Amino acid sequence: MSAILLNNIKDVRNNIKAWKKEGFTIGLVPTMGALHAGHASLIKKAKETCDKVIVSVFVNPIQFGPNEDLDKYPRTLEADKKLCDELGCDIIFAPSPKEMYGADNKLSNTEFTFVCPPYNLVDCLCGKSRVGHFDGVATVVLKLFNITTPDKAFFGQKDAQQLFILTKMVKDLNLDLEIVPCPIVREDDGLALSSRNTYLSEEERKNALSISKALKEINSLYLNDVTDTKILFDTAISILNKNIELEYIEFRNFETFEKVEKASKNTLVAIAAKSGKTRLIDNIIL
Ligand code: AMP
């Protein structure tokens, strides 16, 4: 059966009302579209554990900075719909910015209610260069939760900081749903799948591969009892291709998000770097 494509909030709510009457559980997979096997893994997990699955496809303007790729972000709704049909998803919710925010232009926090996650979680890693990004993410995700009232929502560990912040939001704001973390899906050669990989030239892709290679090496050193993050950091630097522009390598406790000097079980090792003009992120949890 093919998925129903809905653009407005009212139609989504009507469908959900009918499902709730039947006692169905609902899984939500929030995405920005240009779906790939990483997204598919989330949708499959949702299908396994929920009666009904909604995939949202929305390139959320308020999470993009002024010099970021909002306009050129890949939009492939037809192909996304096909994949959702194949995976047996029930609804694709693909609203316009106007439907979500009542305006076509990008709204700021002087004219719209924003969700602001704790400062120490947003003022680090990706939030350092992407100021306001996580406020935009938390705001749209809370809106999607309110619109779709899911029992479970599925997020990739690929965006580890986002996953941590949203899990905290659910706890702090007493949201009645479960966040389900899903492992990173990679190409055979190790590159983490991302909608932004389509921007990469062959050369840039080759250089970008050094990010997952560095993470893999850190993991194997850790498994051989190397826990000093200075040594692990230097190893990563020696592996990262000289043509990529490193933004950060960070070691954080994935329960508290505090920086760690000594790696241990549940340490997040996160890297952000640009290959050409494309900003890429990847990580492992030791
Ligand atoms: P995006 O469309 O990039 O906003 O991603 C939507 C969801 O898919 C987020 O929860 C991401 O963490 C997740 N995701 C993106 N890439 C991957 C991947 N390679 N493996 C697993 N999940 C992913």
Side-chain angles (χ1 to χ4, degrees):
M1 218 178 72
S2 65
I4 314 170
L5 176 61
L6 298 176
N7 306 113
N8 70 68
I9 295 167
K10 207 165 138 208
D11 289 343
V12 173
R13 287 206 156 128
N14 284 337
N15 275 275
I16 285 167
K17 238 183 242 164
W19 287 347
K20 295 237 158 158
K21 252 194 202 150
E22 301 282 328
F24 292 141
T25 56
I26 297 169
L28 172 69
V29 182
T31 81
M32 296 206 299
L35 302 183
H36 50 64
H39 298 112
S41 73
L42 272 56
I43 299 170
K44 282 181 199 152
K45 185 97 173 246
K47 281 289 293 179
E48 277 164 29
T49 51
C50 300
D51 298 320
K52 298 287 177 186
V53 173
I54 305 177
V55 174
S56 61
V57 172
F58 181 58
V59 183
N60 175 34
I62 66 167
Q63 73 185 66
F64 285 76
N67 298 316
E68 294 183 357
D69 56 344
L70 173 62
D71 292 335
K72 77 164 189 175
Y73 197 85
R75 288 156 168 92
T76 60
L77 189 56
E78 220 171 282
D80 294 348
K81 164 97 170 60
K82 206 162 155 249
L83 181 66
C84 286
D85 288 345
E86 282 164 22
L87 295 171
C89 136
D90 297 280
I91 287 178
I92 303 170
F93 176 44
S96 64
K98 177 115 194 220
E99 180 68 10
M100 286 297 273
Y101 296 113
D104 289 320
N105 59 314
K106 197 182 138 186
L107 294 172
S108 75
N109 61 5
T110 60
E111 51 200 343
F112 196 81
T113 307
F114 273 67
V115 178
C116 302
Y119 188 68
N120 61 327
L121 296 182
V122 301
D123 184 40
C124 57
L125 284 81
C126 293
K128 257 213 150 88
S129 64
R130 305 192 73 190
V131 176
H133 170 69
F134 289 111
D135 294 8
V137 169
T139 303
V140 79
V141 170
L142 181 61
K143 281 171 71 69
L144 290 169
F145 287 170
N146 285 334
I147 293 163
T148 62
T149 63
D151 297 278
K152 295 177 191 228
F154 298 79
F155 290 91
Q157 184 206 305
K158 161 86 168 34
D159 298 271
Q161 188 175 12
Q162 167 177 288
L163 174 62
F164 193 94
I165 286 170
L166 295 176
T167 305
K168 173 101 174 117
M169 176 179 84
V170 165
K171 181 167 174 271
D172 289 353
L173 302 185
N174 306 97
L175 304 182
D176 192 14
L177 62 98
E178 182 193 343
I179 298 266
V180 182
C182 304
I184 300 178
V185 177
R186 299 177 179 282
E187 305 270 15
D188 288 345
D189 58 9
L191 187 73
L193 289 177
S194 162
S195 305
R196 290 189 169 97
N197 289 353
T198 54
Y199 300 154
L200 297 171
S201 69
E202 209 176 305
E203 181 74 15
E204 288 165 352
R205 190 191 180 285
K206 213 172 84 201
N207 298 341
L209 261 185
S210 65
I211 301 171
S212 54
K213 281 206 180 107
L215 290 168
K216 207 170 161 199
E217 182 58 20
I218 286 177
N219 194 43
S220 63
L221 284 176
Y222 169 72
L223 293 175
N224 283 297
D225 299 324
V226 181
T227 56
D228 183 339
T229 56
K230 282 195 198 78
I231 297 174
L232 298 173
F233 180 93
D234 288 344
T235 306
I237 294 291
S238 71
I239 291 170
L240 288 171
N241 186 286
K242 301 298 166 265
N243 292 315
I244 69 164
E245 187 189 323
L246 180 65
E247 189 178 303
Y248 65 73
I249 305 175
E250 290 252 7
F251 296 81
R252 299 256 164 176
N253 177 325
F254 204 54
E255 262 152 44
T256 62
F257 224 69
E258 274 160 13
K259 266 190 183 180
V260 296
E261 307 252 304
K262 230 173 153 33
S264 61
K265 195 163 158 41
N266 221 10
T267 295
L268 167 74
V269 188
I271 297 182
K274 269 189 182 161
S275 188
K277 288 201 170 100
T278 306
R279 187 176 179 281
L280 300 169
I281 56 170
D282 198 355
N283 68 78
I284 44 164
I285 297 173
L286 300 175

